[in-house]
Amino acid sequence: MPGSPARGAAMGGGPRGLRKTWTELLAGRVKKQKYDPEREQKLKDSALKLLRYHQNMHDLLLEVEEPQCKRLRLSELIDRDSADASSDRSASFIRSAFRDQASRLGVPVGVLSAKVFARSVQQVCVEPSHPVLLSPEQSKKLSSLLMIARHLLAQNMFSRLTFCQELWKAQNSLLLEAMWRLHTHSVVSLQELLQSHPDSEAMAMWLFRNLRSLCEQIGASCPSPDTTEAMLSGLVQLLISRGFQGSSDPRRLVEPERLPQVATDVLQRMLAFSLDTLEADPQTTLDCQAVSGWIPIYSGHTCCGVVTENSLKSFFSHTLTQILTHKPVLKVSDAIQMQKEWSFAKTHHLLTDLHCRVLATLGPEESVGRLQEVLEMQEVNWQHVLSCVSTLVVCFPEAQQLVKGWVASLMARAFESYHLDSMVTAFLIVRQATLEGPYVFPSYADWFKVLRCAPRPYMDPTYMSVFCVWLQPVFLSAQCC
């Protein structure tokens, strides 16, 4: 009969009719597509791109596994096996697990292992008890991870570039010691880590902040001085060698320009920070501890055998220039009035230490030449210039005669060319040297008498008279000092 329930059920009509499943409804519409290798490759490339940009690798790995499967995630496998990471059986098991997972995801095993290990290193650094150093527990965990990573590297199952890129995604949570351990255990070098950062300015700021924290620990005599000093020395060697490498260095031809810029930027920031801190004359602040931890790096012994001699000379010459030209706000009149406070004995001991280290590496002759060049070409910080002169004549006796020769050349230029700047510079330098006592340099009055009495056939008498009248107030102020 037309209205019978049986017929309605068979047709699937009406609210009480039996409905077909989605599989049954779509069964007739699905067409079998022909195999297209190009399309398959595009799908794989898209999947790999999606995988690389996925922020949480652990969640992604968990999603692709069957819910009913009790297989461990790779990070848990690493943590569980870390106690016995050095055994061949453990390493073989982990390599097998990575291969299986990479095959299932359709990604290179090196990319997969690098992402998982980057996430594991970030987890080790979570909630640090120290700004730059690992706790004993963190150090133990990281050591196990590094051992496994080296096993994978030996089997060509670990992508260094991918690992570095993944690490920088959470750079604010990374500890400097963790980066250092990656370098010393030959997982990735410091140079690889720095080159892989996508933002040069962010990289420089991150490294600057971490170097300051590291130097604070060294200045405060931290409980692990060997580790901190080795970290600082290694980082400084890298920065100097990359920031001041010569044009003849073969690495210059293949190395990106970004890394040398970052290296010089970080070194300049650390020196500027040190000079600003010493200008404020701190006594017990953390900044003062950081400066006292940083200044010892200005030593030829720090980079001996690692940095080329040309790079080292270039770095120290650049350092001396930066010291002399740092914030040139004082005028000559200010220098005349305040010069007495810039003697060797009254200068902050850390600034004197900085001067001594830089001048000792350059040598007195090159140091005086650099002083002369900077004063002729640039605006200078007179406090730094004159305190540097005091350090030269006090700590390097052979420099006393060099300074006298420099002053004589300045006066000759002043007399011959009527060059007032040369005359002012000469008198400021002489006055500064005489502040250190007669055993270091002749007294100012004696030197001035000799100057006035010296025959100058090439000097105009009128000019000499004007010169003496102008200099009289300066001479009197010097006698009052």
Side-chain angles (χ1 to χ4, degrees), residues 196-334:
S196 63
H197 199 288
D199 188 336
S200 298
E201 185 175 355
M203 172 76 261
M205 286 302 302
W206 180 87
L207 195 52
F208 168 65
R209 289 195 303 268
N210 279 269
L211 279 175
R212 280 182 56 179
S213 298
L214 180 62
C215 290
E216 286 175 10
Q217 301 307 310
I218 295 175
S221 301
C222 65
S224 55
D226 293 341
T227 300
T228 54
E229 290 176 7
M231 289 170 58
L232 181 60
S233 177
L235 285 165
V236 168
Q237 289 170 6
L238 173 67
L239 295 175
I240 294 176
S241 63
R242 296 298 174 265
F244 295 91
Q245 58 188 353
S247 57
S248 60
D249 192 330
R251 289 172 299 190
R252 190 80 167 183
L253 300 176
V254 297
E255 186 175 283
E257 291 296 323
R258 191 162 56 92
L259 183 54
Q261 292 174 1
V262 170
T264 54
D265 184 33
V266 172
L267 291 169
Q268 288 177 170
R269 286 175 187 268
M270 286 300 298
L271 180 56
F273 157 73
S274 300
L275 295 174
D276 288 339
T277 301
L278 295 179
E279 185 178 348
D281 195 21
Q283 300 297 325
T284 59
T285 64
L286 288 176
D287 286 349
C288 188
Q289 291 179 1
V291 173
S292 64
W294 175 252
I295 285 180
I297 70 100
Y298 295 100
S299 169
H301 299 293
T302 301
C303 305
C304 184
V306 179
V307 180
T308 64
E309 184 177 354
N310 289 337
S311 295
L312 202 59
K313 287 286 186 180
S314 177
F315 166 65
F316 277 94
S317 179
H318 181 85
T319 298
L320 181 57
T321 301
Q322 186 178 348
I323 293 172
L324 300 177
T325 58
H326 179 71
K327 293 185 176 178
V329 295
L330 296 174
K331 300 178 181 179
V332 172
S333 57
D334 299 322

Side-chain angles (χ1 to χ4, degrees), residues 413-447:
R413 183 182 181 188
F415 291 145
E416 293 173 359
S417 306
Y418 303 96
H419 196 265
L420 185 61
D421 288 346
S422 296
M423 182 176 62
V424 172
T425 301
F427 275 84
L428 283 173
I429 292 170
V430 168
R431 188 183 177 195
Q432 187 68 27
T434 59
L435 288 174
E436 306 306 333
Y439 294 101
V440 175
F441 206 86
S443 69
Y444 185 85
D446 291 343
W447 177 85

Side-chain angles (χ1 to χ4, degrees), residues 176-212:
L176 187 62
E177 186 180 354
M179 311 290 278
W180 173 250
R181 296 274 295 277
L182 290 168
H183 170 76
T184 56
H185 284 73
S186 302
V187 176
V188 288
S189 67
L190 288 172
Q191 182 173 336
E192 287 178 285
L193 287 166
L194 296 181
Q195 284 180 333
S196 63
H197 199 288
D199 188 336
S200 298
E201 185 175 355
M203 172 76 261
M205 286 302 302
W206 180 87
L207 195 52
F208 168 65
R209 289 195 303 268
N210 279 269
L211 279 175
R212 280 182 56 179

